[in-house]
């Protein structure tokens, strides 16, 4: 599993959700096709008349997610960039995604503009396995993000966290240790630690 | 088709995307289960340890979207409210969504808190038909939103817009008229109107 695999999952789901913030910082969302996923880049397009286009131009940040039929989710948080050679990209996108011709026949396709995401934090989260499994990646200049919780050295090894964890992903030790790859980030251990030894890592979501 | 039908589509898709804005106004996203859709309300839950929970508490605004296998999309923009009688709601949610027991066994379920959306603008958008079809609704105190474009009385009836529209949804008249229910909101007509008669309505996305 690597960052390109995550992009490939989004490409296979194809119709994924893209979130932006509007001029007032309110969340906005819509389904967008992932047109290409190659060379650690995700490529999509939108029409110049759409509010999505305006939001991307005003503040080129997006959060993207999709889930496949095996309950595997990918989340992405990244920056968006307009691509040069717009018409050539749109032609390539239509070649690889021929159903687009039904929506934008003939030359109407050029109302679309191509964008790419090449700097992003990525998270893979598999709810189809037990215990759940997650892994983080990044592409381009973005750094990966450590999310969820960790057990600090204030741990008194009382075992409360281990007994309460819904995914049974806390292991004994000095201090006890959360198996990050299996953690739900639910916070139940942190709420119930008598030594208040369980603290938040920076979360991507 | 009405607002409750839209909520029902999201409930049937079940795993839909929820967008929020974080403390810095950046878009955030994740897949969330629609647990119940009844009485013009959409009900979901999340764990107190999640960044999503914190975002909802700080700024109770969400945008939600999902697409079913027939290429029908629903979008929602609304306000989120915590529900009273939390444990009773969580029990009801687990009764109606028994797979939740695998993720949060036993009493660990009470790390979850129930939320509802009862004031929201909704949009139904069907890409599975030609021409595309869209319709807007609202629930609670939210008002519906007029999005896309309209042709003003500056229209000179030259027909440019009609000939260029990818969905062929502009009709002759004084002025010409966009069939809003079939419009992509791509903006091609507006870009090509020699009289600059085509203007933006307020968009929800």
């Amino acid at each position: 599993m690597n960052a390109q695999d995550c992009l490939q999952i989004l490409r296979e789901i194809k119709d994924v959700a893209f979130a932006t913030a509007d001029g007032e910082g309110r969340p906005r969302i819509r389904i967008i096709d992932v047109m290409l996923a190659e060379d650690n880049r995700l490529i999509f397009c939108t029409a110049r008349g759409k509010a999505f286009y305006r939001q991307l131009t005003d503040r080129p940040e997006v959060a993207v997610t999709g889930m496949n039929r095996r309950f595997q989710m990918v989340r992405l948080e990244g920056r968006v960039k307009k691509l040069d050679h717009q018409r050539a990209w749109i032609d390539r996108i239509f070649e690889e995604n021929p159903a687009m011709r039904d929506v934008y026949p003939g030359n109407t396709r050029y109302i679309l503009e191509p964008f790419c995401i090449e700097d992003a934090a990525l998270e893979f989260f598999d709810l189809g396995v037990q215990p759940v499994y997650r892994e983080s990646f990044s592409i381009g200049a973005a750094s990966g993000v450590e999310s969820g919780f960790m057990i600090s050295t204030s741990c008194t090894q009382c075992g409360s966290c281990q007994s309460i964890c819904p995914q049974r992903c806390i292991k004994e030790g000095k201090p006890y240790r959360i198996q990050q790859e299996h953690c739900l980030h639910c916070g139940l251990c942190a709420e119930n630690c008598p030594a208040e030894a369980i603290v938040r890592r920076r979360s991507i979501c």
Side-chain angles (χ1 to χ4, degrees), chain A residues 18-20 42 44 52-53 55-57 59-64 76-83 114-120:
Chain A
F18 274 60
T20 45
L42 188 151
F44 65 98
F52 181 37
Y53 179 88
Q55 289 158 20
L56 291 177
T57 306
R59 181 169 185 158
E61 291 176 346
V62 290
V64 178
L76 175 159
E77 292 177 0
R79 290 189 65 78
V80 165
K81 210 170 81 168
K82 268 192 204 185
L83 287 164
F115 291 86
C116 86
I117 303 171
E118 56 187 18
D119 300 309

Side-chain angles (χ1 to χ4, degrees), chain A residues 141-152:
Chain A
S143 36
V145 177
E146 294 199 325
S147 48
F149 295 85
M150 58 166 290
I151 306 179
S152 73

Side-chain angles (χ1 to χ4, degrees), chain A residues 45-80:
Chain A
C45 62
T46 192
R48 280 189 294 277
K50 303 233 183 204
F52 181 37
Y53 179 88
R54 212 165 50 217
Q55 289 158 20
L56 291 177
T57 306
D58 290 350
R59 181 169 185 158
E61 291 176 346
V62 290
V64 178
T65 195
M67 187 174 86
N68 65 21
R69 293 181 190 181
R70 295 190 289 158
F71 300 100
Q72 296 175 321
M73 287 170 241
V74 169
R75 282 200 295 178
L76 175 159
E77 292 177 0
R79 290 189 65 78
V80 165

Side-chain angles (χ1 to χ4, degrees), chain A residues 10-203:
Chain A
L10 292 174
R11 166 65 178 155
E12 280 157 18
I13 298 168
K14 196 167 178 198
D15 303 295
V16 303
F18 274 60
T20 45
D22 72 5
E24 282 83 48
R26 282 177 306 218
R28 294 293 179 247
I29 202 166
R30 76 291 297 163
I31 302 285
I32 294 288
D33 282 7
V34 175
M35 295 299 185
L36 299 162
E38 56 189 20
D39 307 328
N40 274 349
R41 298 199 302 179
L42 188 151
I43 289 163
F44 65 98
C45 62
T46 192
R48 280 189 294 277
K50 303 233 183 204
F52 181 37
Y53 179 88
R54 212 165 50 217
Q55 289 158 20
L56 291 177
T57 306
D58 290 350
R59 181 169 185 158
E61 291 176 346
V62 290
V64 178
T65 195
M67 187 174 86
N68 65 21
R69 293 181 190 181
R70 295 190 289 158
F71 300 100
Q72 296 175 321
M73 287 170 241
V74 169
R75 282 200 295 178
L76 175 159
E77 292 177 0
R79 290 189 65 78
V80 165
K81 210 170 81 168
K82 268 192 204 185
L83 287 164
D84 296 331
H85 311 296
Q86 294 191 4
R87 290 197 168 209
W89 274 109
I90 293 298
D91 288 344
R92 165 110 198 273
I93 285 169
F94 273 59
E95 251 167 56
E96 309 253 1
N97 302 273
M100 289 296 290
R101 290 178 200 144
D102 297 333
V103 186
Y104 291 98
N107 280 341
T108 69
R109 66 172 66 174
Y110 301 119
I111 189 67
L112 298 168
E113 290 193 11
F115 291 86
C116 86
I117 303 171
E118 56 187 18
D119 300 309
L122 288 157
E123 188 181 57
F124 172 75
F125 186 50
D126 193 342
L127 253 176
V129 293
Q130 280 195 313
V132 299
Y133 180 79
R134 66 166 84 227
E135 203 174 347
S136 295
F137 306 95
S138 65
I139 51 174
S143 36
V145 177
E146 294 199 325
S147 48
F149 295 85
M150 58 166 290
I151 306 179
S152 73
T153 51
S154 309
C155 169
T156 60
Q157 299 147 61
C158 71
S160 302
C161 57
Q162 191 180 40
S163 65
I164 209 170
C165 172
Q167 292 290 315
R168 300 270 171 220
C169 74
I170 300 180
K171 295 298 158 196
E172 286 172 32
K174 288 187 183 182
Y176 275 44
R177 188 176 59 80
I178 298 172
Q179 292 180 297
Q180 295 295 341
E181 69 274 25
H182 299 309
C183 176
L184 283 169
H185 300 175
C186 75
L188 191 57
C189 57
E191 276 194 6
N192 285 277
C193 173
E196 297 182 2
I198 305 184
V199 295
R200 199 181 285 278
R201 303 157 96 201
R202 201 219 126 194
S203 175

